[in-house]
C-alpha cells in the first residue's frame, strides 16, 4: 500500500514537473495570430476580436460546438423518455420568490438581449446570453410558475434545433458564389452573424433549460418503475 | 497587484481541494460554485473577459444549480414520488 502511494506521489511529481517545464519552455509561435486577426477585422462584420474569431474566422469550430450541445440534449431527452411518466412539476411554494421573479424576469431578458447585442463590440455573445436566458427558465421552474409551453414537444424540438439549422443553412447559402463553406461575404457578414447569434441564443437557452428539466421522476431504479407500469395497464 | 493574484491562486487551489475532499456533498457543491466564481475572477485578471463571463454564467451558475438539483434528487427517500396521485398510463 505504501509502495503504491509512493509510486502515485512520484507520478504526480513527474506530471507537475513536466507541466512546469512545458509552461516555462514554450515554443515560439510560427506566426503572430493576434496581428493577423487585427488585420482581417475590417472584413469580419463585427468589432470585437473574440466574436470575429468565434463566428467568422473559426466559425466551423463553433458550429461543431453547437452540434455537440444538441447531441447532449438529444441523449438527455432519449434517456428521460425511457422513463414511464412525464416530468414532474416542481416548485418551492415560496411567495417571496414569485414576487421577486416578477421584477427579475424583465431585467434578466434585457440583460440577455444586451449581452447578445454587446457581443459585436465588447465581451458577450450567444453563449453568455443563452445561459442568462436559461437562468431565467431555471428560476421560473424553481418558483413553480407553470411552464407548460416547454412540454410542447414539436415546439421544443424546433427551438432546440433552430440554432444549428440556421447556422448550417447560412453556411450553405453563402456557398452560392463559389466560396468555401461558412465564408460570409464581407458586406453581409455583420447581419449574418447577428442572425446566427440570435438563433443560437434561443437554442442554447432552451438546451440548458431542457437539461435542467429532464430530471428523473423518482429514486427507484427504472426496472421497478417499468414493472409497476405493467402491473397497472 | 501580484500579492492579490498570488492569494487568488492559492484560494483557487484551496477551494478546489475543499470541494473534492468535502465529506458532505452539499458543502462540496457550494465549494464548487465558489471555485467557479473565483475562476471567473482569475480569467478577468488574465485579461480574458469573454471566458470570465462564460465561466461565471455556465461554470459557476448553471452547473452549480444542476448539481444542487441532483443533490436534492439523491436525498429523496427511496421510492418516494413527487405526486402520489399521479395516474400513470
Amino acid at each position: 500500500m505504501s509502495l503504491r502511494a509512493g509510486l502515485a506521489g512520484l507520478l504526480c511529481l513527474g506530471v507537475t514537473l513536466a507541466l512546469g517545464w512545458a509552461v516555462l519552455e514554450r515554443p515560439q509561435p510560427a506566426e503572430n495570430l493576434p496581428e493577423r486577426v487585427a488585420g482581417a477585422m475590417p472584413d469580419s462584420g463585427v468589432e470585437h476580436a473574440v466574436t470575429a474569431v468565434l463566428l467568422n474566422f473559426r466559425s466551423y469550430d463553433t458550429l461543431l460546438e453547437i452540434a455537440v450541445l444538441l447531441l447532449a440534449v438529444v441523449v438527455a431527452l432519449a434517456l428521460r423518455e425511457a422513463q414511464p411518466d412525464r416530468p414532474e412539476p416542481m416548485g418551492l411554494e415560496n411567495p417571496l420568490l414569485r414576487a421577486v421573479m416578477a421584477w427579475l424576469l424583465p431585467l434578466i431578458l434585457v440583460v440577455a438581449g444586451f449581452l447578445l447585442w454587446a457581443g459585436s463590440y465588447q465581451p458577450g455573445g450567444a453563449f453568455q446570453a443563452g445561459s442568462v436566458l436559461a437562468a431565467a427558465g431555471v428560476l421560473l421552474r424553481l418558483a413553480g410558475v407553470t411552464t407548460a409551453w416547454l412540454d410542447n414537444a414539436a415546439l421544443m424540438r424546433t427551438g432546440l434545433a433552430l440554432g444549428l439549422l440556421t447556422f448550417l443553412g447560412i453556411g450553405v447559402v453563402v456557398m452560392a458564389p463559389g466560396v468555401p463553406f461558412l465564408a460570409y461575404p464581407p458586406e453581409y457578414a455583420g447581419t449574418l452573424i447577428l442572425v446566427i447569434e440570435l438563433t443560437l441564443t434561443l437554442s442554447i437557452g432552451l438546451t440548458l433549460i431542457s437539461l435542467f428539466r429532464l430530471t428523473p421522476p423518482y429514486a427507484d431504479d427504472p426496472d421497478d418503475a417499468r414493472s409497476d407500469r405493467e402491473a397497472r395497464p | 497587484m501580484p500579492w492579490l493574484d498570488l492569494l487568488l491562486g492559492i484560494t483557487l487551489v484551496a477551494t478546489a481541494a475543499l470541494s473534492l475532499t468535502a465529506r458532505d456533498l452539499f458543502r462540496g457543491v457550494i465549494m464548487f460554485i465558489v471555485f467557479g466564481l473565483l475562476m471567473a475572477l482569475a480569467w478577468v485578471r488574465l485579461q480574458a473577459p469573454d471566458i470570465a463571463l462564460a465561466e461565471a454564467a455556465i461554470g459557476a451558475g448553471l452547473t452549480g444549480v444542476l448539481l444542487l438539483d441532483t443533490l436534492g434528487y439523491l436525498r429523496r427517500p427511496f421510492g418516494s414520488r413527487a405526486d402520489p396521485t399521479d395516474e400513470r398510463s
Side-chain angles (χ1 to χ4, degrees), chain A residues 60-128:
Chain A
Y60 194 64
D61 302 17
T62 312
L63 180 70
L64 291 182
E65 275 173 26
I66 299 299
V68 167
L69 267 181
L70 186 64
L71 195 65
V73 83
V74 164
V75 170
L77 276 166
L79 286 173
R80 184 61 187 79
E81 301 212 339
Q83 300 273 345
D85 60 345
R86 58 178 187 273
E88 63 183 61
M90 170 192 158
L92 312 167
E93 283 309 316
N94 189 337
L96 184 63
L97 186 57
R98 283 182 177 228
V100 170
M101 273 310 286
W103 291 96
L104 270 184
L105 198 60
L107 199 64
I108 289 176
L109 292 178
V110 169
V111 167
F114 169 75
L115 275 175
L116 172 67
W117 185 251
S120 71
Y121 57 91
Q122 68 184 57
F127 276 89
Q128 289 88 342

Side-chain angles (χ1 to χ4, degrees), chain A residues 48 128 215 217-218 220 228, chain B residues 50 65 69 76 79-81 88:
Chain A
H48 186 51
Q128 289 88 342
T215 45
Y218 41 67
D220 301 336
D228 212 23
Chain B
D50 292 87
V65 166
D69 201 39
R76 264 184 236 166
S80 73
R81 297 201 185 132
R88 287 176 296 130

Side-chain angles (χ1 to χ4, degrees), chain A residues 181-204:
Chain A
F181 183 59
L182 284 172
Y184 321 124
E187 61 267 30
Y188 299 120
T191 317
L192 291 179
I193 286 175
L194 190 64
V195 170
I196 289 173
E197 286 219 299
L198 263 174
T199 52
L200 283 190
T201 302
L202 191 71
S203 286
I204 290 167

